[in-house]
Amino acid sequence: MNVQSFLHAAIIAGTPLLLATLGEILCEKVGNLNLGVEGMMLLGAISGFLIGYKTGNPIFALFAAAGAGALGGLIYAVLTVSFRTNQVVTGLTLTIFGTGVSSLLGQKAVGQVVPDSVKSFFAETKIPVLGDIPFLGNILFNHDTFIYISYVLTIMVGIYLYKTRVGLNLRAVGENPGAADAVSINVSLYKYVNILLGGALAGLGGAYLSLVYVPVWADNITAGRGWIAVALVIFAAWNPYKALLGAYLFGGLDIVGFRIANPIVSSYILSMLPYVVTIVVLVIISSKKSKKNSPPKSLSLPYFREER
């Protein structure tokens, strides 16, 4: 197995996980645990595919995917922020909703392929100079446009969280919404904005699957990646830069069955690796509690300002 080609493929397989994980980080940083990532990814996947298939315009497809994911986030935000419903139950319901809607809208599109105009827009393009760096150049800088966008989004989310005043306020809302409210930070506004941004990123993660990774519509195309993204947030300790590495690690695990020809171990067992490792990682992290890896203190707790 060629290591360089394997790492190149791991980045491709890890990109939808990365986008969904970045979205969930934003959501959880403001104190909302959204288990509907899988549903938002499917909403983005079907919306991006249908718009791309019908119009042949990749830009419209991207906006449709982000908008559909954000719409899923809006439904979740209205219920959990405004009506203070149970976040876990609401997230699970959103996943069921997204799965059902994608199956309904995509039932006549199963097996259809995205147009060549969309494929060509997302074709692999080597970045000049950077793509010529020995070994790393082909791994990191010889990809499709979507992956370069994911690099930029990771950096932007990191700067947003750790280098801006708005990001500081966001983290304050997640840690202690009562204290944030007391210093005139609009808690509900921060929650709404970041939950919607998280939904849009999850939608883009789903669109990557249906437009680039597997440019053919198939029912339940995400295949549980939304759940892995939720676990990756914990694995990355709510840090977007660690999420980048974690997503590519799990992307590598996802494709190892296709890259290793092993007559002894079944390919079905190898395809279970990402999910098995997810469980193992969660168990290990849960057993080693520390302030550095701890979640936002108000995570999954509804906030009602009259009770502060």
Side-chain angles (χ1 to χ4, degrees), residues 55-226:
T55 67
N57 190 311
I59 303 300
F60 289 171
L62 291 179
F63 276 106
L71 178 60
L74 178 62
I75 295 172
Y76 172 85
V78 169
L79 292 172
T80 60
V81 178
S82 297
F83 294 104
R84 301 188 299 279
T85 58
N86 184 285
Q87 294 178 14
V88 173
V89 174
T90 305
L92 293 174
T93 304
L94 179 58
T95 288
I96 297 170
F97 172 76
T99 303
V101 170
S102 67
S103 295
L104 176 65
L105 296 179
Q107 60 183 343
K108 294 183 179 180
V110 174
Q112 299 296 331
V113 183
V114 296
D116 291 337
S117 58
V118 177
K119 288 182 181 180
S120 60
F121 182 83
F122 295 117
E124 286 192 354
T125 305
K126 185 170 74 173
I127 297 179
V129 182
L130 293 175
D132 295 323
I133 298 173
F135 190 70
L136 288 178
N138 186 54
I139 295 173
L140 297 172
F141 304 112
N142 187 16
H143 286 287
D144 59 76
T145 311
F146 223 130
I147 290 179
Y148 298 137
I149 291 173
S150 72
Y151 292 164
V152 174
L153 287 173
T154 302
I155 295 170
M156 289 177 64
V157 171
I159 294 173
Y160 172 53
L161 286 176
Y162 303 121
K163 301 295 182 180
T164 66
R165 185 174 184 82
V166 176
L168 177 63
N169 291 344
L170 179 159
R171 288 182 282 132
V173 169
E175 292 295 328
N176 192 331
D181 198 2
V183 294
S184 301
I185 295 173
N186 191 327
V187 173
S188 294
L189 178 61
Y190 270 86
K191 284 180 176 288
Y192 264 93
V193 169
N194 287 283
I195 290 171
L196 263 65
L197 286 175
L201 287 169
L204 288 175
Y208 184 81
L209 290 168
S210 61
L211 295 175
V212 185
Y213 191 59
V214 187
V216 178
W217 180 251
D219 197 27
N220 194 30
I221 196 169
T222 53
R225 287 177 175 85

Side-chain angles (χ1 to χ4, degrees), residues 12-31:
I12 296 173
T15 296
L17 292 173
L18 172 61
L19 292 168
T21 303
L22 291 175
E24 182 64 8
I25 286 174
L26 289 178
C27 186
E28 293 193 15
K29 276 292 188 179
V30 288

